Amino acid sequence: MDSADIRERFLAFFSERGHDRVASASTVADDPTLLLTNAGMAPFKPYFLGQLSPPWKRATSVQKCVRTPDIEVVGTTSRHVTFFEMAGNFSFGDYFKEQAIPFAWDLLTKSPADGGYGFEESRLWATVYTDDDEAERIWTDVVGVPKERVQRRGMADNFWSMGVPGPCGPCSEIYYDRGPEYGRDGGPIADEERYLEIWNLVFMQFERGPGAGKDDFPIVGDLPAKNIDTGLGVDRVAILKQGVDNIFQTDLLSGTLDRVAELTGKRLGSDERDDVSLRVVADHTRTATFLIGDGVTPSNEGRGYVLRRLLRRAVRNMRLLGAREPVMTDLVATVAAAMGSAYPELVTDLARISQVALTEEKSFLRTLDEGSQRFAVAVDELKSGSSRTVPGDVAFRLHDTYGFPIDLTLEMAGEHGLDVDEDRFRVLMDEQRQRAKTDRKAKGIGNADVSVYGDLLSHGPSEFTGYEELTTEAVVRGLVRDGELVNGVTAGDVVELVLDRTPFYAESGGQSPDAGRITGPGGLELEVLDVQKPVKGLIAHQVRVVSGELGAGAKVLAEVDPDWRLGACQAHSGTHVMHAALRQVLGPTALQSGSYNKPGYLRLDFAWPEGLSRATRSEVEEVANLAVRRDLPVRALLMSLADARAFGALALFGETYDETAVRVVEVGGPWSRELCGGTHVAHSSQIGPLVLTAESSVGSGVRRVEALVGIEGFHGLVRDRELVNGLSELLKTPADALPDRIAGLVARIRDLEREAAAQQARAAANVAGELAQAPSDVFGVAFVAHRAPDGTPADVLRTLALDVRGRLGDRPAVVAVAAANDGRAQLVVATNEVAQQWRISAGDLVKVGAPLIGGNGGGKPDVAQGGGTDPSRIAEALTAIEHAVGARATGGS
């Protein structure tokens, strides 16, 4: 039974029993407490918390999930993975244990011909919570499982909660006995390798209080409605139904594993170390493919960092397996072929996914080379001393700054006969994690309480009238301050206002919220500051009360600023036009990955591996403005999501869409078709000029263009014209001759700079001879300290220090030179080989002087440099270095 069959049997079984099929949510969690969707129930969390009313009584889904806390363990075992699929059936106050348990048993034991999985009843075991007599009774008396195959377990194993105050309840797990060859007898409580858990049924019926751990919290009462949350592991069932020992041998991963073997010549089972790498590559490539497919791009924070780490671990392990050329494009295609039947977007979006993965792979291959060079420098420094241990700080810096994995550092150190201070490295890693955790808390990333909005939504969704009108009569449904409903507000108050209907567009899809005012009887005037959707279906206006008083139930008039809306429409339609222009010029893989627009301005992020040339930017700008000149019709169509995709409409990353009704905005028919809920002009000519102002990188494989729109675009062109006119007048040169004139001036300046540098070098050489003739004797060390003239560049200081050092002969010598430059102090220290044998290091000496000039520094034992913000203390810094030389020459520290 292949994995596609396993998924479909689950969905079909519960669909026949009144459950609505719900498509898998994105791996990018729509939840402020999660980076990634880590469980099948995660998309349903607001319904279980009572924050929102569920749109179904019963639901079923197969959810793609990503968990990475144990990422370092992946590969070392045959069962740890970062990506998995969780099939689930859910009840929201409908059925409970008496139906959930028989449902699970029927699906597991029915014959394949009847739509089941066909597991032998005699090999299935169940566990229940220690005092859940009801669940045990259903298992034994209703289902008919022998009592000896139903085991009780404590809170740590068979009681579920989210880890915070809220819903909780006992659970019942179903296990399959794989036989004595996998472990000892005695049921799940004896051996969970032999008895493989395949399904967990959570009976959500209580509310828990605060507490730590899985079992240290009080039960404070019953939930108003009992819910069911179950999860069946698709990978676990695949292992059993395909007759293999672990997930890497199933059709979910075996194809990718085989392709890795073909590319490297290494086979699973031939070498333990290679086995780890093979499993890492297969698992991480699959997870990365799904993350990129859901719009994540590599970066140094958040989800992007998770993706970057996965890709880099995969690339490094391919290198360990012997691969030397980029391979991610090949491996991503293999994943898409294996999983594309269930997730067709992997196939349709393969070009973009492959491009993002390949760009990161090439970048990291360069990082590996650079990190190896940095490591070699560290080894040379160690070999010059007596230590045989790479400091933990060095290992951490290689990891944190250069992305160099610790296990590769360990391996390379071993090749040189060196150890690594892993304890110190782990301490620094823990400190970094704690800083990140503290930062997340400081940013207020927690389980946002939106229950007050759920209460308001229970009276019906907000009706958005802004597509048809800018002024709407409405009724105040509620006033919210600090997360609580308030009865009324007066002048000066700032609150959130929910109306039954509104013309104000709430920020979404990259479009900034509308501006305007709300008025009412008795001189009421409210300034609209912001408009958001705190929960799906509800529009909340942040308002400042300018005058009058307001209470719930009042009738008001909501008025959008027409100039603001016109600018917003121009910018949003302009974003669509710019996206289409990019795709026309660069090709279909230049897909939008994010956008922001407001009156007069737009920015658009898109997948592309390299910067755009000036000619390409001009071409994109011209294509966009030609579309404006052609006065293309702009229209919005409502259809199902499936029909929209068949229609050729583009769905944008990070956005969630209703399966049954979506809005498609097209510009010029098929030229631009996108799913979009924003406001737009009626014809492209109304957009006005589109003026590209910037193009830059915002992450690996992602570029950003920025543009001025409409009247702001015109103003931008006027500013450019005035700039050109000003330069023309200043340089007494016609505008069309300015490029040559300016190029000539730049060339002349560079010649002068080179001439000045040469003069400085000659002066430094003369000074070097003078300084080398009269060094100070510091306990046997020839010491030269010199403050160069202000403005001396750092490279000239370095040349001077090395020149003086070279003239001091074979005796131990130290040279320290410094200068003030543009309000900063520059410091260079050089030592010769004899001084280094006396354990006098330039890097150590710079660290003595640099703090005194308000900065820091470092370098190698032979030459090092630093800088600071306080040039007034240069003399003090040079004296401190001289004292440090004396201390080291006499055996001090």
Side-chain angles (χ1 to χ4, degrees):
M1 189 179 292
D2 63 25
S3 56
D5 195 7
I6 292 168
R7 296 185 197 97
E8 180 54 32
R9 284 174 185 270
F10 190 95
L11 295 172
F13 179 90
F14 285 102
S15 181
E16 291 168 1
R17 287 155 181 79
H19 294 68
D20 285 279
R21 287 197 186 202
V22 179
S24 173
S26 170
T27 55
V28 177
D30 185 19
D31 184 332
T33 70
L34 296 173
L35 278 179
L36 300 166
T37 302
N38 64 355
M41 63 76 63
F44 303 102
K45 185 174 169 184
Y47 310 126
F48 289 130
L49 288 172
Q51 296 171 339
L52 295 178
S53 298
W56 338 267
K57 283 291 188 180
R58 302 180 177 192
T60 183
S61 69
V62 176
Q63 175 64 44
K64 49 191 180 182
C65 306
V66 176
R67 289 183 188 168
T68 57
D70 298 326
I71 189 172
E72 301 288 352
V73 182
V74 173
T76 61
T77 73
S78 60
R79 60 189 180 87
H80 280 87
V81 290
T82 56
F83 176 90
F84 60 96
E85 296 169 278
M86 191 61 70
N89 59 287
F90 308 93
S91 167
F92 306 97
D94 188 9
Y95 63 85
F96 203 50
K97 299 177 189 179
E98 67 284 349
Q99 283 182 272
I101 291 174
F103 278 161
W105 184 260
D106 287 349
L107 176 56
L108 289 175
T109 59
K110 274 182 181 294
S111 70
D114 293 328
Y117 291 129
F119 285 111
E120 300 172 45
E121 294 186 14
S122 62
R123 303 188 76 164
L124 295 175
W125 291 61
T127 62
V128 299
Y129 181 52
T130 183
D131 63 2
D132 194 348
D133 297 335
E134 181 186 8
E136 184 185 56
R137 179 188 59 77
I138 295 171
W139 278 117
T140 57
D141 296 350
V142 178
V143 174
V145 177
K147 197 164 187 175
E148 61 270 18
R149 293 214 311 272
V150 180
Q151 297 182 326
R152 297 194 181 228
R153 307 187 79 168
M155 217 170 191
D157 296 299
N158 274 63
F159 200 92
W160 174 90
S161 82
M162 293 182 183
V164 295
C168 65
C171 56
S172 185
E173 296 173 330
I174 306 172
Y175 292 79
Y176 180 84
D177 181 4
R178 297 200 287 172
E181 63 271 28
Y182 287 94
R184 58 195 175 115
D185 196 6
I189 62 174
D191 191 331
E192 290 197 14
E193 286 294 325
R194 170 176 171 173
Y195 300 90
L196 184 68
E197 179 196 340
I198 56 176
W199 203 331
N200 185 19
L201 299 93
V202 175
F203 311 127
M204 208 178 296
Q205 62 189 105
F206 302 121
E207 182 177 356
R208 60 156 283 184
K214 291 185 176 182
D215 53 7
D216 185 18
F217 53 81
I219 304 298
V220 297
D222 295 333
L223 292 177
K226 297 178 179 179
N227 305 310
I228 287 293
D229 158 29
T230 84
L232 172 138
V234 173
D235 55 345
R236 301 283 182 94
V237 175
I239 290 169
L240 298 174
K241 299 311 295 182
Q242 294 174 21
V244 296
D245 290 333
N246 60 72
I247 187 176
F248 292 94
Q249 297 170 321
T250 68
D251 64 342
L252 295 165
L253 281 172
S254 60
T256 307
L257 202 64
D258 290 344
R259 187 60 186 143
V260 175
E262 291 171 9
L263 291 169
T264 62
K266 303 294 177 66
R267 292 281 170 185
L268 195 67
S270 58
D271 178 83
E272 183 176 347
R273 180 173 169 183
D274 287 346
D275 286 355
V276 171
S277 292
L278 286 163
R279 288 191 286 258
V280 166
V281 174
D283 170 75
H284 287 10
T285 302
R286 181 174 66 157
T287 308
T289 300
F290 274 93
L291 290 176
I292 298 171
D294 283 336
V296 182
T297 55
S299 68
N300 288 327
E301 60 182 12
R303 302 176 183 99
Y305 179 70
V306 173
L307 173 59
R308 170 160 285 169
R309 191 177 177 201
L310 289 166
L311 283 171
R312 291 188 168 195
R313 289 192 91 228
V315 171
R316 181 185 64 81
N317 278 277
M318 283 299 293
R319 178 68 68 92
L320 293 177
L321 289 168
R324 288 294 176 266
E325 299 298 322
V327 297
M328 290 308 300
T329 298
D330 195 327
L331 296 181
V332 165
T334 304
V335 172
M339 307 293 288
S341 61
Y343 305 99
E345 64 272 15
L346 297 181
V347 178
T348 56
D349 202 18
L350 180 59
R352 184 193 63 85
I353 297 171
S354 299
Q355 187 177 77
V356 172
L358 178 62
T359 300
E360 181 66 16
E361 178 180 27
K362 288 181 176 179
S363 172
F364 184 54
L365 288 174
R366 292 191 296 269
T367 294
L368 279 175
D369 293 337
E370 182 178 0
S372 298
Q373 295 172 9
R374 299 278 178 175
F375 180 80
V377 170
V379 169
D380 289 342
E381 292 180 358
L382 283 174
K383 288 182 176 179
S384 67
S386 59
S387 175
R388 309 300 298 168
T389 300
V390 177
D393 297 68
V394 172
F396 177 75
R397 188 163 62 251
L398 285 169
H399 168 85
D400 192 52
T401 304
Y402 301 105
F404 215 55
I406 181 60
D407 41 357
L408 190 54
T409 300
L410 292 168
E411 177 187 352
M412 295 176 65
E415 292 171 355
H416 289 274
L418 301 173
D419 296 320
V420 177
D421 186 354
E422 287 188 76
D423 291 341
R424 174 62 178 165
F425 173 82
R426 302 296 175 194
V427 167
L428 293 170
M429 286 295 292
D430 287 342
E431 289 176 355
Q432 184 188 60
R433 292 189 189 101
Q434 188 59 45
R435 284 194 299 270
K437 185 176 181 180
T438 301
D439 184 55
R440 284 176 62 82
K441 287 183 177 179
K443 291 177 180 178
I445 300 176
N447 186 50
D449 183 4
V450 295
S451 57
V452 65
Y453 303 110
D455 292 340
L456 292 170
L457 185 60
S458 66
H459 298 291
S462 303
E463 179 188 354
F464 176 62
T465 64
Y467 295 136
E468 296 82 25
E469 60 187 19
L470 298 183
T471 301
T472 298
E473 293 181 348
V475 175
V476 176
R477 184 175 290 169
L479 299 163
V480 180
R481 179 191 287 141
D482 299 329
E484 296 182 355
L485 288 172
V486 294
N487 293 323
V489 291
T490 59
D493 289 343
V494 175
V495 296
E496 289 179 87
L497 170 67
V498 176
L499 303 174
D500 62 339
R501 53 204 310 266
T502 178
F504 283 87
Y505 183 82
E507 182 175 14
S508 62
Q511 181 175 333
S512 60
D514 278 332
R517 66 177 191 156
I518 298 172
T519 59
L524 174 70
E525 182 178 352
L526 311 174
E527 178 188 4
V528 177
L529 306 174
D530 192 11
V531 190
Q532 297 291 330
K533 295 179 180 177
V535 296
K536 186 177 180 180
L538 200 73
I539 298 175
H541 314 71
Q542 185 186 63
V543 298
R544 176 185 293 112
V545 182
V546 178
S547 62
E549 297 182 353
L550 178 65
K555 293 182 178 181
V556 295
L557 186 68
E559 303 173 89
V560 175
D561 182 331
D563 289 335
W564 179 278
R565 172 61 74 81
L566 173 61
C569 290
Q570 290 176 310
H572 204 153
S573 298
T575 303
H576 284 225
V577 167
M578 190 63 69
H579 187 202
L582 283 165
R583 287 167 54 77
Q584 180 174 318
V585 174
L586 301 177
T589 60
L591 278 171
Q592 179 179 327
S593 59
S595 69
Y596 174 73
N597 53 80
K598 64 180 181 178
Y601 169 85
L602 71 84
R603 72 167 186 249
L604 188 150
D605 299 342
F606 61 100
W608 198 250
E610 58 192 7
L612 306 185
S613 67
R614 184 186 305 171
T616 300
R617 294 198 300 270
S618 294
E619 185 178 0
V620 170
E621 190 176 43
E622 182 175 5
V623 168
N625 281 286
L626 284 174
V628 171
R629 190 181 73 172
R630 286 166 59 198
D631 196 28
L632 300 173
V634 180
R635 65 170 182 161
L637 307 168
L638 292 177
M639 60 186 74
S640 71
L641 182 58
D643 289 343
R645 285 171 172 157
F647 192 54
L650 297 175
L652 304 182
F653 305 119
E655 296 292 319
T656 57
Y657 301 102
D658 190 318
E659 292 285 326
T660 57
V662 294
R663 186 169 181 263
V664 176
V665 173
E666 65 173 20
V667 181
W671 187 69
S672 170
R673 283 180 178 150
E674 297 185 14
L675 273 64
C676 178
T679 62
H680 291 271
V681 297
H683 291 83
S684 63
S685 61
Q686 295 170 331
I687 295 171
L690 286 167
V691 182
L692 274 181
T693 57
E695 189 269 339
S696 59
S697 171
V698 289
S700 179
V702 180
R703 306 296 299 181
R704 170 175 290 175
V705 292
E706 298 177 71
L708 297 176
V709 187
I711 192 66
E712 285 300 324
F714 171 74
H715 290 161
L717 293 173
V718 170
R719 286 192 295 271
D720 289 346
R721 182 186 65 192
E722 292 303 313
L723 176 62
V724 170
N725 289 342
L727 288 172
S728 182
E729 292 177 7
L730 179 66
L731 299 176
K732 309 299 182 186
T733 304
D736 58 358
L738 278 176
D740 291 339
R741 174 71 168 135
I742 293 173
L745 289 173
V746 170
R748 177 57 180 155
I749 290 170
R750 287 174 178 167
D751 289 342
L752 292 172
E753 288 175 341
R754 282 193 291 269
E755 182 179 339
Q759 290 177 350
Q760 287 176 326
R762 288 191 294 270
N766 294 333
V767 171
E770 297 174 2
L771 294 174
Q773 292 178 3
S776 302
D777 183 281
V778 181
F779 298 100
V781 176
F783 178 73
V784 172
H786 173 66
R787 175 166 182 166
D790 290 351
T792 302
D795 59 336
V796 174
L797 287 179
R798 185 183 180 92
T799 300
L800 174 61
L802 295 177
D803 192 359
V804 174
R805 183 187 67 181
R807 296 169 185 255
L808 291 176
D810 296 333
R811 53 184 169 169
V814 175
V815 180
V817 294
N821 199 337
D822 291 332
R824 289 185 56 84
Q826 303 287 342
L827 172 66
V828 178
V829 178
T831 63
N832 65 7
E833 187 173 347
V834 183
Q836 293 163 46
Q837 291 172 358
W838 282 32
R839 302 182 65 79
I840 301 175
S841 164
D844 293 341
L845 294 175
V846 159
K847 291 177 181 177
V848 171
L852 294 174
I853 55 175
N856 51 50
K860 298 178 182 180
D862 61 331
V863 62
Q865 63 187 61
T869 58
D870 190 357
S872 68
R873 300 185 68 187
I874 286 178
E876 186 180 346
L878 294 174
T879 300
I881 292 172
E882 181 177 4
H883 291 163
V885 170
R888 285 158 174 75
T890 56
S893 59

